[in-house]
Amino acid sequence: MKFQDFKGGVHPSQKKNTMECATVKMGIPEKIVIPMVQHIGAPCQALVKKGDSVKVGQVLGNSDAFVSVPVHSSVSGVVSSVDERIISGSKPVVCVEIKPDGLQEISEDVKPPVVDSKEAFMKAIRASGLTGLGGAGFPTHVKLNPPKDTKIDTLIINGAECEPYITSDYRECMENTSNIIEGINHVLKWTGIPRALIGIEDNKPEAIKKLAEAVDSMNSISVHSLKSRYPQGAEKMLIKTLTGREVPSGKLPSEVGCLVMNVASVSFVAEYLKTGMPLIKKRVTVDGSSVKTPKNVEVLIGTPIGEVFNFSGGFISEPAKLIMGGPMMGVALYSDEIPVMKYTNALLALDEKDGKIPQEYACIRCGRCVDVCPMNLLPFDIDRLVKANLHDELEKYSVLDCIECGACAYTCPSKRLLTQSIRLGKDVLRRRAKK
Ligand code: SF4
Ligand code: SF4
């Protein structure tokens, strides 16, 4: 297959320190906190109250909305509170806190689903609580149900994992190869998509080899080695590289006949159809200059991140910054009480040197941010308009196309906080559109 290339991109130091760290299971924490929103879409209503006993895999919250997924208990124990908390951003979210009893009694509702039709498959995927495990948090059953008039001919499996530090998908490829292929086959069968392309960056040769061997005799699935360049794993870049198709501004991959799923997501599909155990655990890369023993950890969803850092040996230096996700696109956390969520793929603790916010200097109009922007935007101009509150002019700059990859800020010699500024611009435009 002849690959296309996407414009721009950068080469941050990879820091994949945990590539050879096989996943280790963390035990049951002292408490579990399950937010009723861990996905893009409508929040769930809590179905339990303080004092209720719950079991592993029991539904704790659900919603009637199509764009939503249920949330489940990752432990057995007693609900100690149902209240609103700030998790990320500024909006409070209803959270169910559970005191585990250590028994890990499994709910009677946990049994493999009967899947004998496309409808039953979609219903099962929703019931599993699956959202994109690569970090996006988009409900998978919604993704698998594109508008009726769209024809999907390619399932793209994202194994690029281009952010520095993160190796959780790499470990999925190494440790659960057969589940990945089984999950892809389920998706192809029940959606009717004829082919799947697995894309992995060429800095993971062992994973490429393992998956290529596993699909050797299969005509419908192929494995492709991609050049290591950030943000190769962004949906639009992956589609462009693997198929040559360009997703138009403001549109979804289905517009160009593609559906993108993460390696961990398809692997979970296979596991769920076999066991019926919903999404209650997550593999997380724990790393960063302040972490004593970086590792890949299998964590129960709802575990406070402070406990995950403790499980990784604690800190060797006072962290200046805690991040959920990678250093390019992750979210800075204000507290180590925040729980691991469905979309958490990494937890980083960075020391003073790596984590401090740099001093911004004036833009020198060097144009480097324009050169590296994979979405053909003009980051320095957008930054200028946002800072000057020139919102009418901002409308002309396709700001909503920004995928917030941070490549512009990474390359800027003046250390302009371009991503934050563009994010602000996107918020302003969205609020204006709502009005
Ligand atoms: S403007 Fe947006 S898409 Fe372009 S490099 Fe910056 S963060 Fe990435
Ligand atoms: S890279 Fe930085 S200094 Fe150069 S044009 Fe962009 S914002 Fe200005």
Side-chain angles (χ1 to χ4, degrees):
M1 178 181 288
K2 195 168 180 310
F3 289 138
Q4 306 278 320
D5 214 353
F6 68 90
K7 181 219 155 230
V10 290
H11 293 93
S13 167
Q14 294 176 4
K15 298 184 176 165
K16 302 273 187 189
N17 310 313
T18 53
M19 272 184 98
E20 299 315 321
C21 297
T23 311
V24 283
K25 257 190 199 176
M26 186 179 157
I28 307 164
E30 282 188 12
K31 69 174 177 190
I32 285 280
V33 177
I34 307 277
M36 293 294 106
V37 195
Q38 299 184 44
H39 52 265
I40 293 169
C44 293
Q45 307 294 319
L47 303 175
V48 290
K49 57 182 188 318
K50 186 175 173 183
D52 284 355
S53 292
V54 294
K55 293 182 180 172
V56 178
Q58 180 177 331
V59 177
L60 295 178
N62 209 342
S63 155
D64 291 335
F66 177 61
V67 187
S68 186
V69 279
V71 284
H72 302 84
S73 182
S74 54
V75 292
S76 61
V78 176
V79 175
S80 45
S81 69
V82 179
D83 54 15
E84 288 195 329
R85 301 180 187 190
I86 301 284
I87 297 295
S88 64
S90 54
K91 233 173 140 188
V93 175
V94 173
C95 294
V96 172
E97 185 178 304
I98 302 164
K99 179 109 184 82
D101 58 15
L103 303 173
Q104 289 305 77
E105 250 190 280
I106 294 174
S107 163
E108 298 72 24
D109 297 334
V110 173
K111 43 184 173 254
V114 177
V115 174
D116 50 10
S117 65
K118 181 175 179 180
E119 290 65 38
F121 178 68
M122 296 302 170
K123 209 172 144 204
I125 298 298
R126 189 190 191 281
S128 75
L130 179 60
T131 63
L133 299 182
F138 192 73
T140 303
H141 70 282
V142 180
K143 196 179 253 197
L144 292 172
N145 261 305
K148 285 213 163 29
D149 51 349
T150 33
K151 172 108 187 79
I152 307 292
D153 62 16
T154 308
L155 172 66
I156 289 182
I157 303 299
N158 191 351
E161 202 164 51
C162 57
E163 275 246 22
Y165 291 105
I166 311 178
T167 62
S168 50
D169 282 350
Y170 174 72
R171 291 314 310 174
E172 188 73 41
C173 296
M174 297 303 288
E175 296 171 26
N176 287 329
T177 321
S178 59
N179 264 1
I180 293 173
I181 307 305
E182 206 179 312
I184 294 172
N185 277 320
H186 283 303
V187 175
L188 293 181
K189 177 177 173 187
W190 294 114
T191 58
I193 300 172
R195 66 165 180 170
L197 312 177
I198 306 176
I200 308 187
E201 284 193 318
D202 58 11
N203 59 355
K204 305 169 191 82
E206 288 302 316
I208 294 171
K209 188 166 162 251
K210 241 182 150 191
L211 283 161
E213 279 167 9
V215 302
D216 193 29
S217 57
M218 299 181 188
N219 292 329
S220 53
I221 310 175
S222 51
V223 179
H224 304 274
S225 165
L226 311 170
K227 268 194 247 165
S228 301
R229 181 162 50 119
Y230 181 85
Q232 179 66 80
E235 272 193 353
K236 291 185 177 180
M237 279 69 248
L238 203 56
I239 292 170
K240 169 86 178 156
T241 315
L242 286 170
T243 68
R245 302 173 193 173
E246 285 206 33
V247 181
S249 172
K251 301 288 181 191
L252 295 169
S254 58
E255 193 74 20
V256 293
C258 294
L259 194 150
V260 184
M261 288 181 79
N262 174 268
V263 278
S265 300
V266 279
S267 180
F268 172 78
V269 167
E271 193 61 25
Y272 177 69
L273 295 187
K274 280 186 281 204
T275 64
M277 181 57 78
L279 187 55
I280 58 158
K281 60 186 184 189
K282 193 73 208 289
R283 181 187 291 102
V284 176
T285 300
V286 186
D287 202 348
S289 39
S290 282
V291 174
K292 187 171 180 193
T293 321
K295 50 177 72 160
N296 281 298
V297 187
E298 184 184 287
V299 189
L300 293 172
I301 289 171
T303 302
I305 63 161
E307 295 209 28
V308 187
F309 283 120
N310 285 341
F311 184 72
S312 301
F315 300 130
I316 43 172
S317 57
E318 187 63 30
K321 197 177 192 180
L322 300 178
I323 301 175
M324 187 178 283
M328 304 293 280
M329 291 186 79
V331 179
L333 302 174
Y334 67 91
S335 156
D336 65 0
E337 285 282 305
I338 302 233
V340 167
M341 289 188 265
K342 292 180 182 182
Y343 55 80
T344 308
N345 54 5
L347 292 171
L348 306 180
L350 304 179
D351 65 14
E352 187 64 29
K353 183 173 146 282
D354 290 349
K356 75 164 189 261
I357 297 171
Q359 162 80 46
E360 265 191 303
Y361 295 97
C363 169
I364 55 169
R365 301 261 159 169
C366 64
R368 286 194 214 171
C369 54
V370 181
D371 291 341
V372 301
C373 177
M375 296 306 294
N376 281 315
L377 303 180
L378 300 174
F380 72 94
D381 251 352
I382 299 171
D383 180 41
R384 175 181 64 81
L385 295 172
V386 170
K387 297 251 161 57
N389 286 324
L390 293 170
H391 299 154
D392 286 336
E393 274 202 56
L394 207 54
E395 306 262 7
K396 301 171 204 154
Y397 280 78
S398 308
V399 184
L400 294 177
D401 280 352
C402 170
I403 57 169
E404 299 180 20
C405 66
C408 52
Y410 174 82
T411 206
C412 175
S414 295
K415 305 288 171 216
R416 307 283 306 160
L417 300 174
L418 296 168
T419 322
Q420 285 90 329
S421 185
I422 296 168
R423 213 173 268 154
L424 210 65
K426 286 172 81 172
D427 272 358
V428 169
L429 293 186
R430 283 203 189 106
R431 268 187 273 123
R432 279 166 74 111
K434 253 192 189 169
K435 270 189 194 164

